Amino acid sequence: MKEIIINITSLEIRVATLEDGDLVDFLVERAKSRRLVGDVYLGKVNAIIPGIQAAFVDIGYEKAGFLHAGDLAGSMEAFKDFDIVETPRRRSRRKDARDKNGQPPIEKVLSKGQEVLVQVTKEAIGTKGPRLSTQVSLPGRFVVYLPNFNYLGVSRKIESRQERARLKNLISRRKPANAAIIARTACEGVESKQIGSDINYLHKLWQEVKGRSEKVTAPHLIHEEVGLLIGMVRDVMTDDVDRILIDSDREYKKLIQYLKTFSPDLCSRVKHYRDKTPIFDKFNIEREIEKTLDRKIWLKKGGYIVIDPTEALVAIDVNTGRFVGKKDQEETIFETNMLAAREIPRQLRLRDIGGIIVIDFIDMEREANRRKVLAELRHSLRKDRSRAKAFAVSELGLVEVSRKRVRPSLLHFFSDECPYCKGTGKVLSYDSLANKIEQSIRRVGSKTKEKRVQLRVNSSLALYMEEERRTILDAMERQYRMKIEIQDDPRLHREDFKLVSLSSFRDLMQEVS
């Protein structure tokens, strides 16, 4: 059973997807951090960097958008999951217009100060601004509309040849001139009237977007993508969704109104939740959300996986933990790896982890077992709405997974970098800090003629120096004929310290560095 549970407050919208009671997907949007993906802007090119074949575009956001040459109009990279049919006329034009790499240099296409219509394809992540594309795509309930193309396509998830042929024939008759139409998975079995209505709506929407872009100056928001709630229903509401529960009367009515227009048959599956118990507590979702910040995730039978995000990739380690098995060691390891192969894709979806993921499964001796674990991982990844691919086991026994990244992970969304450890998760030990301080005192003692020095440190480190290192400090006082006074300063970071001259209040650290 697949259910979508929606919790709405004045500050945020939270959407949870349950499959047989297990949380598999979680989306959240806050009023002060609205999502940008799908928004269309008239931007202004700030700079062109030929060395990386990219341009930076001002769209009125706090960070300039990043536009790569591969995201200029003409690329179908974003539609790998669709079976694309290209007309012969369009194919020949593409061949004539492009160089041997398939894309003209960006400096030949854009110039500094130029106004350009762009769409956000990825949220700003960390220090990077939003990713942009000049190829606008407008998603509807059943199709995706791409202006200035001459394609038609059908989602590869629609397996029936007869249905695919029906949809291609239908689209070819309904497709507006100079536009591409791609049938989404939701098209399967849908009447031609509904699909045609969707195409007409999107064609009209594009004419409005195009018209508005000609009347304003950059940077300017031209078209705002529908909110999280409507967008989620539009994108994931298929026949396998049994029920949608929403705890806001206002948003429930808006959702019903939307479905009456585009999919009236789905209205009966949407229910207004009225119980006094908070909806996420009712379905045990709050507790599961808290677990998404945990580094360690326990598996059934006592094994566990550890997820460690880094700047370049996400590392996942699999361990048997408390699981001892009933037969031999190989069987125990195989069972743990199989459980991990099912749980890891769920965690990737739930935590919205994207980019490169490296999985270190427990080493298995039998080749057949390795193949079964990889097959199970790939099978579980197919449930993911984001494009994800698992590669063959490497010579080191690692499995690499790539998953399309559109927005920051839940860890980045829910947390800030620790101001104390700067995101490393570690601080220097008292022993290491004391050694560092003593080395600095020796440097001051040998290079200056100071007689009275004050050591300013964090309160906890001051206590450690007095209790554990006083003997060493006394010896240094005798050696350099210098009085060392310890002053605790709670304002200082644990790893920071200062050596100050008590006669002139000079910063001795700076003087001898």
Side-chain angles (χ1 to χ4, degrees), residues 42 158 225 381 456 487:
L42 183 66
I158 299 176
E225 173 66 316
L381 285 172
R456 295 178 185 173
Q487 176 66 47

Side-chain angles (χ1 to χ4, degrees), residues 25 43 81 175 190 227 253 294 297 334 351 382 409 446 453:
D25 211 344
D81 295 334
K175 188 176 77 66
V190 175
K253 290 175 180 176
D294 291 345
I297 301 98
F334 172 67
R351 297 171 185 238
R382 290 194 194 105
S409 67
S446 63
V453 173

Side-chain angles (χ1 to χ4, degrees), residues 239-273:
D239 288 339
D240 64 339
V241 176
D242 299 285
R243 181 173 64 163
I244 292 181
L245 280 177
I246 182 170
D247 62 359
S248 165
D249 181 60
R250 180 171 172 268
E251 296 300 325
Y252 165 76
K253 290 175 180 176
K254 285 174 62 176
L255 189 54
I256 289 294
Q257 191 61 41
Y258 170 81
L259 289 175
K260 282 181 178 178
T261 303
F262 293 97
S263 299
D265 55 311
L266 298 178
C267 289
S268 60
R269 302 186 199 180
V270 181
K271 307 293 182 184
H272 182 202
Y273 180 82

